[in-house]
Amino acid sequence: MPPRTSRARLADAALFTAGAVLGSVLLLTLASPFSSSSSPSSGVGSGEVDRLGGGRTFYDDPGVAYTIDRPIVGWDEKRAEWLRAHPELAGGGGERVLMVSGSQPEPCGSPAGDSLLTRLLKNKLDYCRLNGVQLLYNTALLRPSMDRYWAKIPVVRAAMVAHPEAEWVWWVDSDAVLTDMDFRLPLSRYRDHNFVAHGWPHLVYESRSWTSLNAGVFLIRNCQWSLDFMDAWAAMGPDSPEYQHWGAVLTSTFKDKVFNESDDQSALVYMLLQSGSPWRDKVYLESDYYFEGYWLEIAGRLGNITERYEAMERGAAPLRRRHAEAEHAAYAAARDAALAGAGLAESGVSGWRRPFVTHFTGCQPCSGHRNEHYTGKSCDEGIRRALSFADDQVLRAYGFRHAGPLSDAVSPLPFDHPTQTA
C-alpha cells in the first residue's frame, strides 16, 4: 500500500480535518462488552444515593482535570483503583474499545454535507453495534485554540478520563468509512504497544517523510504513557508559545513538507524521529491491512471485491443462510475462514479482502473545500460507493441491498442470495 504523494496530502493537512472540530457530546451506548446490563430506574431512591456516595475515586480529586493543559500523574494507579471499585464495568479486559469521532457544530457549507455526515455517522453506529464497540460522537470544540487537525487531541484526552473502563480509545475521522463490517481490530498484536497508526517504518525512519503515516485514524491505550504522549504532541500545536517555531522546524526537517505550519501529522513523525525518543518503542505502525486506507486506491475496486465475495459464497451454502443480526459475529468468523481457504484473505492493494477503513482525506464532504487535486465528482461518488458498499453488508440481515453502487434506493434480496438473482 503506497503512501499518498506529498502534493496530494498538502491541502489535506492545511484544510480542516473532517471530524476534528467537535460540539455537544453525544454518547451512543451500543451493545458493548462493557455496557451495563441493568435497566434504568424511574427514580433515584435513598439506596441509589447511598451507592453513589461510595468510596472516593480520582473523580473526587480537583487536581484531576479533563483539559489538555493540566497534566495528570499517577493515572495507571488511579484508573486501576477505579476499576477495582467498579468490577461490574471492568468486563472485557484489554478488549474494551471506545471509538471517538465527531464533526463541527455548525451546518455544513456543502449542500450535501449534512446528509453525508449523517450517513458517515450511521456507518460508525452500524460497525459499533455489530462489533461490540462503544461510540462517542462529539460536536464541540473543547479547546478553541486547538482547532482543525489539532482538535482531536483534547477530545481523546477527555474521553480517557471520562471512560476509565475503556482500555483503548480509537479515534476515527468523520470522513472515514468502515468498509468491512466483519473485521475486528487485532488487539492482541498490539499488546506491547500503546499507539497504533497506519504507516510505514522505512518511510518514517529512512525517508523521513511527513506523509509516512496518517494521523486521521489511530488507536491509543488508556494509560499514563498515552497522557504524557499527548501532552508532548499538543506542545507542538497552536496552544504552544513556540507554535511558529515548530512550523519552521517541521518544514526544515521534512523536505517533502512545503507549508510552514505545525500540523499534527508532521509533529507525530517528528516525535518518532528524535534520538532517544521515549515514544518510538511503544508506537506500532500498521501496514498489513487497511487500518486507514487511502480512498483513491480503494473506491474503484469495491465492485470487484463484492464480486469476489459473492463468488466465494456461491460455493459455500452455510454462508448464504439467512440469520439474525445478533449472529453477525459467528457468520463474520465463518466468512473469514472461507476467505482464508479461498486464498482471498490478503488485504491491501493486491488483496481481495474488504478494506477495513476507507479514509476520504482531502475530500472535505462537509465544507466542500476539497484538495485541489481531487474533483468533486471523484470525491462524492467515492464516498457514496464506500457508504453503499458498507451499508449492503448491514442491510443483508434485513433482506435488502442497494439497487446500485450509487443508488440510494434499495431492493429486496432473493432467497439464497447470491446464488439466486432477482
Side-chain angles (χ1 to χ4, degrees):
M1 292 175 285
R4 298 93 155 124
T5 64
S6 59
R7 286 184 59 83
R9 289 298 309 277
L10 172 58
D12 300 359
L15 292 174
F16 164 78
T17 298
V21 176
L22 311 150
S24 322
V25 176
L26 173 60
L27 176 59
L28 301 158
T29 306
L30 308 171
S32 163
F34 53 100
S35 295
S36 172
S37 60
S38 60
S39 58
S41 172
S42 59
V44 179
S46 60
E48 285 81 2
V49 172
D50 290 342
R51 184 174 181 276
L52 291 175
R56 289 176 59 85
T57 70
F58 66 84
Y59 287 115
D60 299 299
D61 181 357
V64 175
Y66 296 88
T67 55
I68 194 72
D69 61 321
R70 295 179 61 186
I72 295 176
V73 297
W75 176 243
D76 292 341
E77 294 77 12
K78 290 177 171 65
R79 180 170 170 256
E81 182 180 3
W82 187 92
L83 289 171
R84 285 193 296 271
H86 298 82
E88 75 281 7
L89 299 175
E95 299 295 314
R96 299 187 301 272
V97 178
L98 172 70
M99 180 189 289
V100 181
S101 187
S103 53
Q104 67 185 42
E106 301 86 4
C108 291
S110 171
D114 291 309
S115 174
L116 284 175
L117 282 186
T118 300
R119 293 189 64 186
L120 288 161
L121 169 57
K122 177 190 177 297
N123 169 257
K124 295 170 180 64
L125 280 166
D126 285 337
Y127 178 86
C128 290
R129 183 182 70 255
L130 293 173
N131 292 282
V133 174
Q134 204 173 34
L135 172 63
L136 170 64
Y137 194 89
N138 186 28
T139 54
L141 186 58
L142 299 189
R143 192 163 185 84
S145 56
M146 297 183 71
D147 59 359
R148 296 181 295 168
Y149 27 71
W150 289 102
K152 69 189 78 170
I153 296 178
V155 177
V156 171
R157 163 58 141 66
M160 286 184 174
V161 179
H163 288 274
E165 79 282 3
E167 179 68 17
W168 292 96
V169 174
W170 181 16
W171 172 264
V172 181
D173 273 0
S174 70
D175 57 354
V177 182
L178 282 299
T179 36
D180 188 351
M181 293 291 164
D182 290 351
F183 192 86
R184 293 193 175 195
L185 291 166
L187 296 177
S188 61
R189 73 191 293 172
Y190 310 134
R191 59 183 172 271
D192 296 326
H193 297 83
N194 295 331
F195 186 91
V196 182
H198 192 211
W200 300 264
H202 71 283
L203 293 180
V204 172
Y205 302 114
E206 298 172 22
S207 302
R208 299 169 69 92
S209 169
W210 79 283
T211 64
S212 54
L213 55 78
N214 185 277
V217 178
F218 62 80
L219 189 66
I220 188 166
R221 191 183 297 276
N222 194 352
C223 65
Q224 184 66 53
W225 182 98
S226 298
L227 293 178
D228 296 341
F229 176 81
M230 287 192 292
D231 287 345
W233 194 5
M236 301 174 72
D239 253 11
S240 170
E242 298 185 339
Y243 180 54
Q244 299 301 323
H245 166 73
W246 280 118
V249 168
L250 296 176
T251 303
S252 64
T253 299
F254 304 109
K255 303 308 178 185
D256 58 344
K257 179 179 169 70
V258 295
F259 61 100
N260 187 21
E261 183 178 0
S262 178
D263 66 284
D264 65 323
Q265 186 164 294
S266 297
L268 180 55
V269 180
Y270 183 86
M271 290 169 65
L272 299 181
L273 284 175
Q274 299 316 294
S275 177
S277 168
W279 318 116
R280 183 183 300 183
D281 290 344
K282 290 295 184 179
V283 172
Y284 193 106
L285 296 178
E286 181 63 83
S287 59
D288 287 348
Y289 66 95
Y290 277 121
F291 180 78
E292 178 275 337
Y294 183 35
W295 66 275
L296 269 181
E297 66 187 35
I298 292 175
R301 301 176 58 236
L302 294 177
N304 290 336
I305 292 173
T306 296
E307 291 174 2
R308 292 286 182 126
Y309 271 71
E310 291 183 349
M312 175 188 72
E313 291 191 7
R314 279 193 285 272
L319 295 180
R320 301 195 302 270
R321 186 182 179 191
R322 295 189 298 186
H323 57 274
E325 186 179 79
E327 299 176 276
H328 175 84
Y331 278 81
R335 275 189 290 271
D336 284 348
L339 283 171
L344 300 175
E346 183 181 354
S347 186
V349 175
S350 59
W352 288 105
R353 185 183 178 104
R354 294 166 181 156
F356 183 36
V357 177
T358 304
H359 189 192
F360 286 85
T361 178
C363 281
Q364 304 296 338
C366 182
S367 70
H369 300 153
R370 61 186 167 273
N371 187 310
E372 62 182 7
H373 298 286
Y374 309 145
T375 66
K377 182 178 180 180
S378 66
C379 279
D380 294 345
E381 290 191 358
I383 294 174
R384 291 176 63 196
R385 284 181 186 276
L387 286 169
S388 293
F389 178 83
D391 203 32
D392 279 346
Q393 298 168 47
V394 178
L395 287 173
R396 183 172 182 173
Y398 298 85
F400 289 85
R401 72 179 300 175
H402 284 268
L406 296 176
S407 175
D408 293 331
V410 297
S411 302
L413 283 173
F415 186 80
D416 205 28
H417 174 81
T419 298
Q420 301 295 326
T421 58

